[in-house]
């Protein structure tokens, strides 16, 4: 038999003999004293151990034996196991299935009663006259003995057990309401991995049992937001963050984006104010870009005419197609963190730092048709990117979208973007040109060339690449802070002590005069040669792996071969340049 010597108030009951009516702390002290008097105390020593305490009032929690309500759960667990095992319900990421199956395949009866003042009351009733217990969905009017002197059990359902009814009880169940018909089952449940068993499993079991079908198709399981030390946020530790305070200081969009960008599905996140600040700066970048476009846009925007597109326009439209496909695919796979990070990089760098800068001279130029084409592409790029970004930053995207000409209604109900035309040749050319410009910028930074000082750039391009670079000369001049761009036929036109940048199919030279440090340039070329040698080794290792050649798609293998050839060409150019400077 189970003997309980303490009541619910922490006072010794009748089973405690002469200590009955004494509080637990006093009783313990008196018992120790009696053990001493009886000569039964061997020794007393201090030691530390964990004792449960209430996080509200810090009172010691005493374990007690009491009558509780249990539900036999095995018959409910089996359909829930099958629903996930068959793929009818999909847990994302899939690795969470092992935790789910481990719980349900080793299920025991669940204690569902709690001694709280709020919650669903246990549907059990007691007859005060004959002691009969009645369990009933509907409150009984009288006992089988005829007595109406009935009282309901004071215990309530466990919170998790009640919340397991959420997918349908909130929609009017057990009545067949229009909301229940429309919203059950739903598509996606989003939740943290820490309540996969406590809540998700209960919803699946309750839904299958009460509704006869699954409550949702996908369960997107994210990680936990932890504090800067990696601890779980909790009331007892007092390390939680008030989102309203963060929103007040940084904005709701910034807070949302900081919790999404770069986080792999199912992975934990350490909360950082720096990340929220960075997200706010990102929002400012988008806002300023939109203001710039709107300053140059009238009430209407002309349709994009393909025959008027510049190479930069085609590059941007092609990259928008790439982004639309990538972001759509990532969201479909619930990789929200990667989608957010890709959008950040594309908007900040490719749209703002590259395309808008390329478009600025056209917007202030005298060619009205060219100006209108740039405006049309800029407006289109903002419409597409705002739609892609809307799930992550709903407020700023809504505001910008409704300010753009040609848009109607809310962005929330606008169609999701469809991929447009891809201009692969122009995209590749612009990629090579941008790489060359980055190289020139890096050289200027390494040589500490003042930002406002312009120097001429001479480009020696391979015959097959010369036309590609020539068509982009105006962009090379503007974005590399050059005083002019000249294409040369051979090395005889290279100024003495010039610094060089190796690109794909081209080499750029800048006559920096007294600003150049020959020893520093030689060291830079050595570092670049070492980097290219490492890339060549990596590519050769990949291509030398029979498993890679056999299993990888042909395009992937060919890309590696192309990279190897490009790196080899660039390395040869670096070595030639070093030899020239060493003379």
């Amino acid at each position: 038999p189970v003997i309980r010597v303490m009541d619910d108030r922490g006072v010794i009951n009748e089973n405690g003999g002469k200590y009955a009516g004494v509080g637990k702390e006093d009783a313990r002290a008196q018992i120790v004293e009696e053990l001493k008097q009886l000569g039964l105390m061997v020794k007393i020593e201090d030691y530390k151990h964990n004792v449960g305490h209430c996080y509200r009032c810090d009172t010691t929690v005493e374990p007690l034996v009491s009558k509780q309500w249990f539900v036999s759960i095995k018959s409910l667990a089996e359909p829930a196991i099958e629903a996930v095992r068959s793929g009818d319900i999909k847990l994302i990421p899939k690795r969470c299935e092992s935790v789910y199956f481990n719980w349900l395949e080793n299920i025991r009866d669940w204690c569902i009663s709690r001694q709280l003042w709020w919650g669903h009351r246990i549907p059990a009733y007691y007859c005060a006259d004959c002691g009969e217990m009645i369990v009933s969905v509907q409150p009984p009017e009288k006992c089988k003995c005829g007595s109406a002197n009935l009282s309901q059990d004071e215990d309530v359902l466990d919170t998790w057990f009640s919340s397991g009814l959420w997918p349908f009880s909130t929609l009017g169940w057990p009545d067949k309401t229009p909301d229940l018909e429309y919203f059950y089952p739903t598509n996606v449940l989003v939740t943290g991995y820490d309540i996969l068993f406590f809540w998700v499993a209960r919803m699946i079991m309750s839904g299958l049992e009460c509704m006869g079908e699954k409550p949702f198709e996908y369960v997107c399981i994210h990680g936990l937001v932890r504090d800067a030390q990696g601890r779980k946020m909790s009331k007892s530790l007092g390390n939680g963050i008030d989102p309203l305070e963060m929103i007040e200081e940084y904005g709701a969009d910034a807070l949302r984006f900081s919790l999404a960008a770069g986080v792999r599905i199912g992975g934990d996140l350490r909360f950082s104010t720096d990340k929220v600040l960075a997200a706010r700066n990102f929002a400012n970048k988008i806002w300023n870009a939109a203001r710039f476009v709107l300053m140059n846009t009238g009430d209407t925007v002309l349709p994009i005419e393909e025959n008027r597109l510049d190479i930069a326009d085609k590059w941007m439209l092609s990259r928008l197609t790439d982004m639309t496909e990538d972001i759509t695919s990532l969201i479909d796979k619930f990789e929200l963190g990667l989608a957010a990070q890709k959008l950040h990089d594309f908007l900040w760098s490719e749209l703002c730092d590259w395309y808008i800068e390329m478009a600025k001279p056209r917007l202030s130029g005298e060619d009205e048709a060219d100006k209108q084409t740039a405006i049309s592409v800029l407006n289109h790029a903002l419409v597409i990117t705002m739609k892609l970004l809307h799930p992550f930053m709903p407020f700023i995207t809504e505001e910008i979208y409704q300010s753009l000409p040609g848009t109607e209604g809310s962005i929330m109900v606008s169609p999701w973007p469809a991929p447009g035309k891809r201009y692969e040749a122009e995209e590749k050319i612009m990629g090579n040109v941008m790489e060359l410009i980055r190289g020139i910028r890096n050289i200027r930074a390494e040589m500490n060339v003042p930002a406002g000082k312009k120097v001429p750039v001479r480009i020696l391009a391979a015959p097959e690449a010369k036309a590609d670079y020539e068509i982009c000369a105006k962009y090379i001049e503007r974005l590399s802070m050059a005083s002019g761009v000249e294409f040369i036929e051979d090395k005889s036109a290279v100024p003495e002590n010039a610094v060089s940048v190796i690109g794909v199919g081209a080499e750029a030279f800048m006559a920096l005069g007294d600003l150049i440090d020959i020893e520093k340039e030689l060291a830079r070329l050595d570092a670049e040669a070492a980097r290219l040698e490492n890339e060549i080794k990596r590519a050769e290792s990949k291509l030398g792996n029979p498993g890679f050649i056999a299993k990888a798609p042909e395009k992937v293998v060919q890309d590696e071969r192309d990279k190897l050839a490009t790196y080899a060409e660039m390395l040869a150019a670096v070595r030639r340049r070093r030899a020239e400077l060493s003379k």
Side-chain angles (χ1 to χ4, degrees):
V2 175
I3 300 175
R4 176 174 163 178
V5 298
M6 194 183 299
D7 65 18
D8 291 343
R9 300 170 300 146
V11 175
I12 304 302
N13 62 21
E14 65 278 3
N15 292 323
K18 64 182 180 180
Y19 297 106
V22 179
K24 59 189 179 73
E25 299 295 343
D26 291 338
R28 284 172 177 148
Q30 292 177 25
I31 291 169
V32 169
E33 189 59 36
E34 185 175 355
L35 288 170
K36 289 179 180 177
Q37 293 174 3
L38 294 172
L40 300 175
M41 181 69 70
V42 177
K43 68 175 180 176
I44 296 177
E45 61 178 313
D46 292 334
Y47 67 97
K48 292 182 178 181
H49 69 126
N50 293 323
V51 179
H53 283 71
C54 174
Y55 73 85
R56 287 196 179 100
C57 61
D58 202 40
T59 303
T60 301
V61 176
E62 300 290 347
L64 296 178
V65 177
S66 60
K67 287 185 177 181
Q68 303 289 333
W69 285 94
F70 286 77
V71 167
S72 177
I73 217 75
K74 187 173 178 58
S75 62
L76 298 177
E78 290 171 351
I81 293 170
E82 181 55 30
V84 173
R85 199 177 296 285
S86 67
D88 197 28
I89 296 175
K90 303 167 187 68
L91 305 186
I92 311 294
K94 192 174 177 62
R95 65 175 182 271
C96 291
E97 288 183 2
S98 60
V99 177
Y100 178 86
F101 290 138
N102 184 55
W103 271 101
L104 293 186
E105 288 172 351
N106 297 284
I107 201 73
R108 298 184 180 184
D109 294 347
W110 278 354
C111 176
I112 61 162
S113 58
R114 295 293 182 270
Q115 292 71 55
L116 300 171
W117 289 108
W118 56 87
H120 292 115
R121 290 277 291 275
I122 296 285
Y125 304 84
Y126 304 95
C127 178
D129 294 324
C130 71
E132 180 72 17
M133 179 182 67
I134 307 165
V135 176
S136 173
V137 174
Q138 298 297 330
E141 294 181 1
K142 58 182 179 179
C143 177
K144 63 183 181 181
C145 73
S147 172
N149 191 11
L150 302 174
S151 61
Q152 187 174 356
D153 198 306
E154 292 186 350
D155 281 4
V156 298
L157 287 175
D158 164 39
T159 304
W160 293 116
F161 197 87
S162 290
S163 62
L165 310 175
W166 177 269
F168 46 90
S169 66
T170 55
L171 302 174
W173 177 86
D175 296 332
K176 293 183 179 180
T177 65
D179 281 350
L180 185 62
E181 183 178 353
Y182 184 83
F183 289 107
Y184 191 97
T186 192
N187 302 98
V188 183
L189 170 76
V190 182
T191 188
Y193 62 71
D194 56 330
I195 53 175
L196 174 61
F197 173 70
F198 295 106
W199 191 33
V200 178
R202 283 170 163 87
M203 285 193 285
I204 293 174
M205 285 187 284
S206 296
L208 293 172
E209 174 68 20
C210 298
M211 294 295 298
E213 60 178 323
K214 63 187 178 187
F216 30 71
E217 183 175 0
Y218 294 96
V219 182
C220 178
I221 303 163
H222 57 74
L224 305 181
V225 180
R226 298 183 178 273
D227 68 9
Q229 300 177 45
R231 300 175 302 175
K232 185 175 179 179
M233 292 185 181
S234 69
K235 294 176 184 176
S236 56
L237 287 176
N239 61 342
I241 301 294
D242 186 341
L244 294 179
E245 292 179 1
M246 304 304 296
I247 290 169
E248 181 68 26
E249 185 169 357
Y250 300 102
D253 280 336
L255 179 60
R256 286 169 61 96
F257 196 82
S258 71
L259 297 174
V263 181
R264 292 304 302 262
I265 186 168
D268 286 352
L269 164 70
R270 289 196 180 194
F271 182 83
S272 164
T273 304
D274 290 342
K275 284 191 68 176
V276 188
L277 178 60
R280 186 184 68 179
N281 293 341
F282 176 50
N284 289 341
K285 183 88 169 179
I286 299 168
W287 186 256
N288 290 333
R291 286 179 62 197
F292 171 78
V293 174
L294 290 168
M295 281 192 305
N296 290 278
T297 304
D299 295 332
T300 59
V301 173
L302 298 175
I304 295 174
E305 297 183 38
E306 188 169 21
N307 63 333
R308 292 186 177 277
L309 293 175
D310 179 275
I311 186 171
D313 300 328
K314 291 182 178 180
W315 167 75
M316 174 47 55
L317 292 173
S318 194
R319 289 297 297 129
L320 282 170
T321 292
D322 294 339
M323 272 296 104
T324 299
E325 291 182 347
D326 289 348
I327 301 307
T328 303
S329 174
L330 287 169
I331 290 177
D332 284 345
K333 293 187 288 188
F334 301 99
E335 285 287 4
L336 307 181
L338 295 182
Q341 191 62 51
K342 265 185 171 286
L343 278 168
H344 173 278
D345 297 344
F346 174 78
L347 275 159
W348 191 292
S349 176
E350 296 184 63
L351 179 58
C352 294
D353 290 352
W354 286 98
Y355 184 70
I356 288 181
E357 291 303 316
M358 292 177 191
K360 282 180 178 179
R362 299 165 67 190
L363 296 175
S364 58
E366 297 181 359
D367 188 335
E368 189 62 28
D370 190 42
K371 175 181 178 179
Q372 289 304 319
T373 298
I375 288 173
S376 297
V377 174
L378 278 168
N379 190 80
H380 175 71
L382 274 178
V383 169
I384 297 300
T385 52
M386 290 306 97
K387 289 185 177 185
L388 295 175
L389 185 62
H390 182 66
F392 304 97
M393 304 181 87
F395 300 103
I396 190 172
T397 52
E398 181 75 77
E399 185 71 20
I400 292 173
Y401 179 82
Q402 293 198 23
S403 301
L404 294 172
T407 57
E408 294 182 3
S410 170
I411 192 174
M412 287 190 293
V413 293
S414 65
W416 183 256
K421 187 173 181 179
R422 182 175 276 108
Y423 299 91
E424 293 183 0
E426 288 81 356
E427 194 174 337
K428 184 175 181 180
I429 291 168
M430 283 302 301
N432 293 340
V433 169
M434 290 162 65
E435 189 62 34
L436 188 69
I437 293 170
R438 287 191 193 98
I440 295 173
R441 288 173 171 176
N442 290 340
I443 289 293
R444 290 175 60 95
E446 289 175 16
M447 298 297 175
N448 295 315
V449 179
K453 182 175 179 61
K454 294 187 177 183
V455 295
V457 173
R458 292 177 174 84
I459 297 177
L460 177 60
E464 66 276 7
K466 186 176 181 182
D468 297 339
Y469 283 96
E470 285 180 333
I471 201 172
C472 297
K474 61 182 179 181
Y475 297 131
I476 297 173
E477 180 177 341
R478 174 176 174 78
L479 296 174
S480 62
M481 289 296 292
S483 58
V485 174
E486 177 188 352
F487 287 86
I488 58 178
E489 299 300 324
D490 54 51
K491 293 285 184 70
S492 64
V494 176
E496 187 177 352
N497 289 344
V499 65
S500 69
V501 175
I502 310 299
V504 178
E507 190 171 0
F509 302 91
M510 288 180 289
L512 299 182
D514 294 338
L515 293 176
I516 188 171
D517 182 329
I518 296 295
E519 292 303 319
K520 193 172 182 179
E521 174 62 3
L522 289 173
R524 187 192 69 80
L525 289 170
D526 288 340
E528 177 67 2
R531 184 186 74 82
L532 292 169
E533 285 167 356
N534 286 334
E535 292 291 348
I536 289 170
K537 286 178 184 177
R538 184 197 61 77
E540 286 177 340
S541 174
K542 242 183 177 182
L543 293 169
N545 182 353
F548 173 73
I549 300 296
K551 295 178 182 178
E554 179 56 34
K555 185 179 183 307
V556 175
V557 175
Q558 187 57 48
D559 285 347
E560 283 299 321
R561 291 185 179 126
D562 293 343
K563 286 180 187 177
L564 180 59
T566 299
Y567 292 142
E569 179 185 334
M570 293 172 70
L571 179 60
V574 168
R575 287 172 173 167
R576 285 196 304 271
R577 180 60 182 156
R578 196 193 189 291
E580 291 167 0
L581 286 177
S582 299
K583 290 178 181 178

